[in-house]
Amino acid sequence: MILKTYGWSFGVTVLGLVLAGWYGLSAHLGLGQALLLVVILCILEISLSFDNAVVNATILERMSEFWQKIFLSVGIIIAVFGMRLVFPIVLVSATTGLSPIETVNLALERGDPETPGSYGYELQEAHPTIASFGGMFLLMLFLNFIFGEKENHWLGFIERPLEKVGKLESVQVIVAGIVLFVAAETFAADHAQTVLASGLAGVLTYLVVNGLGELFNVEEHLEHQDEHASGAVGAEGHAVPGERSSGPTQVAKATGKAAFFLFLYLEVLDASFSFDGVIGAFAVTTDPIIIAIGLGVGAMYIRSMTVHLVREGTLQQYRFLENGALWAIGALATILIISIEVHVPEVVTGLIGLAFIIAALISSIAYNRKHPEVDSHVGVEHAEAH
């Protein structure tokens, strides 16, 4: 099980260390220093993105095994080369007016990130744009959770009243719009226009990708009902009354267009989570190649952890874990928006998310001890599913 789930991660780790060693020697960085930096960055990425694995698992469990493999293989290429290497270069190129080649040369100079004109400095200057887009995307995800109907209530004294407020149509968009306006007028006095534009782009990206995913998910479930009347599954993932369901896992397995848009949704979500890691990496090193390798290896482990959570049925065994992860997203969204103007240490970001996850896990264990019949029922369902 471990090798099957983490085999890709182990392979990428070996490849990453070999590449880092070769690059360290060829770039006169030193073999030992290059390997050490990659290990540190890998640990940084895992610590900052553990909550990302839990959230991703809630979405990945709805996808077929084929698309889970796509997420683990093709998705990691997007995560490593797209978000950890190409995206920062494109962003610096767009904000400075330099060509991509000039930006790469600037990055390879490994200048001090505190020095104006250096790659690290220019990336820091683009932070309001990054933070606004990522913060608003994650905020929409959190608001959709907090105002939506939930099977389990963890912080019930907060979640239940807000669930009732969620019956107001488009309340998520209204709240997000208010937050974005306030942030642009207070936290981002010097970058108000940029923050508004990138924040709006974050909200629209969430609405489009999430909306398309739900649309095709519903359509494919309806087609499934028509073609398999004897064992259909309803559009909301529940067995159709009067019809025989073939098992508890079929309600979660999206394929085709639905799975494709869920895949896109996961990639945008991963991008939003990765912003703080990319920026925080410059506190360790300014070398873009070492950053891409270190964060890429860490991102691979996060993906393997996501698959592990799905295959082990962890989210079913620990009923409040998903709630805790989404509260962690709300905290990260808040931190990103605040960081538009105020620097928030990366360790704070990582610890807050981890604290929510641990608290939700402890609450889940306590609940299972008080209700052993629920815990055993979930275990039986998961065993039948596999």
Side-chain angles (χ1 to χ4, degrees):
M1 177 62 185
I2 295 297
L3 186 60
K4 180 180 179 180
T5 305
Y6 290 90
W8 278 91
S9 297
F10 297 151
V12 170
T13 300
V14 173
L15 178 61
L17 291 175
V18 171
L19 289 175
W22 172 80
Y23 178 75
L25 293 174
S26 62
H28 305 291
L29 186 63
L31 175 63
Q33 183 178 0
L35 295 178
L36 178 61
L37 289 174
V38 166
V39 172
I40 292 173
L41 289 170
C42 177
I43 295 173
L44 173 69
E45 175 70 11
I46 293 173
S47 63
L48 289 176
S49 301
F50 179 76
D51 49 350
N52 190 10
V54 179
V55 175
N56 284 353
T58 66
I59 302 170
L60 197 65
E61 67 178 357
R62 296 165 53 193
M63 300 165 69
S64 66
E65 186 174 351
F66 169 79
W67 279 97
Q68 290 179 10
K69 291 179 179 178
I70 292 293
F71 173 72
L72 194 59
S73 54
V74 177
I76 195 62
I77 297 176
I78 298 174
V80 175
F81 295 101
M83 285 309 304
R84 273 73 179 182
L85 183 61
V86 177
F87 174 75
I89 291 175
V90 171
L91 191 61
V92 171
S93 177
T95 55
T96 60
L98 298 174
S99 68
I101 295 178
E102 290 173 325
T103 304
V104 171
N105 291 331
L106 181 66
L108 293 175
E109 290 177 2
R110 297 191 293 273
D112 185 352
E114 300 297 325
T115 302
S118 68
Y119 178 76
Y121 180 86
E122 295 300 336
L123 189 58
Q124 291 282 2
E125 286 295 295
H127 180 71
T129 301
I130 298 172
S132 181
F133 178 91
M136 293 309 299
F137 181 88
L138 292 178
L139 180 64
M140 283 296 298
L141 177 58
F142 173 69
L143 292 176
N144 192 54
F145 156 74
I146 202 67
F147 288 123
E149 294 184 3
K150 288 168 283 294
E151 182 179 354
N152 301 311
H153 296 90
W154 178 38
L155 304 178
F157 64 98
I158 299 176
E159 294 175 355
R160 287 190 179 91
L162 290 180
E163 188 175 293
K164 295 179 180 179
V165 176
K167 294 179 180 179
L168 175 65
E169 187 175 357
S170 302
V171 64
Q172 298 94 329
V173 179
I174 295 172
V175 173
I178 293 173
V179 171
L180 179 59
F181 177 78
V182 172
E185 294 299 318
T186 56
F187 297 133
D190 298 331
H191 312 280
Q193 186 173 358
T194 300
V195 167
L196 280 173
S198 57
L200 180 60
V203 173
L204 291 177
T205 300
Y206 175 85
L207 292 175
V208 170
V209 177
N210 186 58
L212 287 173
E214 291 182 351
L215 171 65
F216 286 108
N217 192 33
V218 170
E219 286 184 351
E220 292 200 1
H221 276 308
L222 291 175
E223 291 175 2
H224 181 72
Q225 288 183 40
D226 293 336
E227 296 173 2
H228 304 280
S230 61
V233 176
E236 296 299 324
H238 299 288
V240 178
E243 297 178 347
R244 183 180 176 183
S245 174
S246 58
T249 58
Q250 290 192 358
V251 300
K253 304 303 181 183
T255 57
K257 296 176 183 177
F260 173 71
F261 282 107
L262 282 176
F263 173 76
L264 290 182
Y265 182 76
L266 274 174
E267 290 305 314
V268 177
L269 183 62
D270 178 74
S272 300
F273 268 99
S274 69
F275 291 146
D276 57 340
V278 173
I279 297 298
F282 280 87
V284 179
T285 178
T286 59
D287 192 304
I289 305 300
I290 294 296
I291 289 176
I293 294 174
L295 296 185
V297 172
M300 190 67 211
Y301 278 98
I302 292 299
R303 271 166 163 65
S304 294
M305 290 167 61
T306 299
V307 174
H308 182 82
L309 290 171
V310 172
R311 291 176 178 171
E312 289 295 311
T314 306
L315 297 178
Q316 285 74 37
Q317 295 174 30
Y318 303 102
R319 61 191 298 117
F320 302 126
L321 202 55
E322 180 180 355
N323 299 59
L326 285 160
W327 275 100
I329 283 183
L332 178 57
T334 303
I335 289 173
L336 279 173
I337 294 171
I338 293 175
S339 70
I340 292 172
E341 192 66 26
V342 180
H343 174 68
V344 180
E346 287 73 23
V347 65
V348 174
T349 305
L351 288 177
I352 288 179
L354 187 60
F356 274 109
I357 298 295
I358 292 175
L361 179 61
I362 293 174
S363 297
S364 299
I365 293 174
Y367 182 91
N368 289 342
R369 288 178 177 175
K370 292 181 179 179
H371 306 83
E373 72 285 353
V374 176
D375 190 31
S376 61
H377 177 67
V378 171
V380 169
E381 282 191 346
H382 182 68
E384 290 176 349
H386 293 273

